[in-house]
Amino acid sequence: MRKYLFIIFLTLFILSCGTPAAAAGESPTAAEMPVESVTQPAVKNEALTSVATSTTMLYISATMHIESQPDSWPKDVDSFLASIQQLTDAGVRLSIGADVGWLTGGVRVQEIIQRTSAMGVQWDVHTHKLTDRAKAAYLIAKYGVTPTSVISGMQINEFDKARRPSTYKGYTWTPQVVWGGVVCVGHRPGCDDTSIALYRPTSSAKYDVHDPNGNIVRVGNSDHQLASAESLLAQIEAGTYSLPMLSFTFMIEPETLQIVNSEDGLTEILAFVERMKQNPTVRFATIEETAQAWVTAGGMPIRIP
């Protein structure tokens, strides 16, 4: 009897005290869950952040130069446009540098510029005369596409003048990125600066010295060969570099649609792109996009001869 009385008194005591709180480690009921404000910042995953910042990303861009000479213009415009479509559909981020000779005398120029731009191609300024840069940018804009801020190739000794804004017929073009650079006329061995680079050059005389306050970002390019890009990726995977990112540009001849100084054509390029896409450390970006990514990553000066 005493046992039953004890159980009754215990039950009445519990009911008088109310429902017990959730024990440590238990989840509260839905009614007890706090409601988050939509403006509350998301909690950072420190482990993921650590992995992201310790991995060297490889930014791969593609470019081509359409020179002033007619023998460097696309011979078959329809075939050219179809090939560009294949490249962009595969994920290639292409920057085309145009000289004034083609912009003023080429075949179906406006159509090529507009249609490729719709595919995602960016149009850079590539001229052999400093005074033609604003004119080239003006013509690209006249054909309905905004030119990038990229000086696509130049002589290094003209860098001090090239970095300034220039104007043609009231159109002002302001460079912010430089890709390529030669120390002598032409592309003879030893003329081209083929360093893998992301930094802000100081001047013509100190082109390989980083100026944190410089107004131009240098995007390096190596030798343009597909095999070199794969070799660089292998070095990254082996832990050779402790850098946030590196850049590589492969270059395509517009008249042959082959990699410069190579017999690698569209088939080899597309196969290369598919291999690169399998690697999570690879990003495809235009030359200008690569410069922007470097700035976002902190702007650490990088130059690998």
Side-chain angles (χ1 to χ4, degrees):
M1 183 66 181
R2 291 179 180 178
K3 177 179 178 182
Y4 292 119
L5 287 174
F6 175 77
I7 292 172
I8 292 169
F9 283 129
L10 179 62
T11 302
L12 291 172
F13 176 77
I14 291 172
L15 291 173
S16 66
C17 294
T19 304
E26 292 183 3
S27 299
T29 63
E32 295 169 316
M33 290 288 284
V35 179
E36 292 188 36
S37 166
V38 293
T39 59
Q40 183 175 336
V43 177
K44 294 181 180 179
N45 187 322
E46 297 299 336
L48 289 177
T49 301
S50 175
V51 170
T53 55
S54 63
T55 301
T56 300
M57 306 301 295
L58 177 59
Y59 279 72
I60 299 178
S61 54
T63 191
M64 65 172 62
H65 288 168
I66 305 183
E67 310 285 2
S68 287
Q69 297 83 1
D71 61 359
S72 71
W73 301 347
K75 291 180 172 59
D76 183 334
V77 171
D78 293 320
S79 177
F80 175 80
L81 290 170
S83 297
I84 299 300
Q85 186 72 70
Q86 283 185 273
L87 290 168
T88 55
D89 284 349
V92 173
R93 298 294 292 140
L94 181 63
S95 305
I96 300 180
D99 204 348
V100 290
W102 177 72
L103 288 168
T104 56
V107 178
R108 294 165 65 181
V109 173
Q110 182 169 355
E111 178 187 358
I112 290 174
I113 290 176
Q114 290 184 349
R115 287 180 60 182
T116 55
S117 178
M119 298 174 196
V121 173
Q122 290 191 341
W123 284 85
D124 301 337
V125 172
H126 170 71
T127 67
H128 293 271
K129 293 180 180 179
L130 176 64
T131 53
D132 282 339
R133 296 220 167 95
K135 182 178 180 180
Y138 165 84
L139 290 169
I140 294 170
K142 182 181 177 181
Y143 291 137
V145 171
T146 301
T148 68
S149 63
V150 178
I151 301 173
S152 188
M154 65 162 199
Q155 292 191 53
I156 291 172
N157 62 9
E158 69 174 23
F159 176 71
D160 293 338
K161 294 180 179 178
R163 69 196 303 176
R164 303 170 189 164
S166 53
T167 301
Y168 179 80
K169 290 189 175 181
Y171 183 92
T172 299
W173 180 72
T174 303
Q176 298 180 55
V177 181
V178 61
W179 178 91
V182 298
V183 296
C184 50
V185 177
H187 298 284
R188 302 188 303 274
C191 285
D192 290 280
D193 177 6
T194 58
S195 60
I196 298 171
L198 288 161
Y199 67 98
R200 297 179 184 274
T202 299
S203 63
S204 295
K206 296 181 179 180
Y207 189 70
D208 58 351
V209 178
H210 174 65
D211 175 6
N213 298 314
N215 65 327
I216 299 285
V217 176
R218 160 93 166 98
V219 177
N221 48 278
S222 189
D223 63 358
H224 313 306
Q225 302 304 303
L226 303 181
S228 297
E230 300 203 69
S231 176
L232 179 58
L233 181 58
Q235 293 175 50
I236 290 172
E237 291 180 318
T240 304
Y241 303 103
S242 297
L243 299 165
M245 63 181 288
L246 290 172
S247 65
F248 188 94
T249 306
F250 62 88
M251 190 172 190
I252 305 170
E253 294 282 7
E255 66 274 27
T256 64
L257 292 173
Q258 293 180 330
I259 299 295
V260 295
N261 303 318
S262 167
E263 294 184 359
D264 287 339
L266 191 60
T267 299
E268 289 77 15
I269 295 170
L270 292 174
F272 162 82
V273 171
E274 289 306 310
R275 290 194 299 273
M276 294 296 101
K277 284 163 62 175
Q278 304 308 309
N279 195 301
T281 64
V282 171
R283 297 287 183 273
F284 285 91
T286 64
I287 292 168
E288 189 170 64
E289 289 168 346
T290 299
Q292 292 166 344
W294 175 76
V295 171
T296 301
M300 175 191 295
I302 299 165
R303 189 171 187 275
I304 303 170

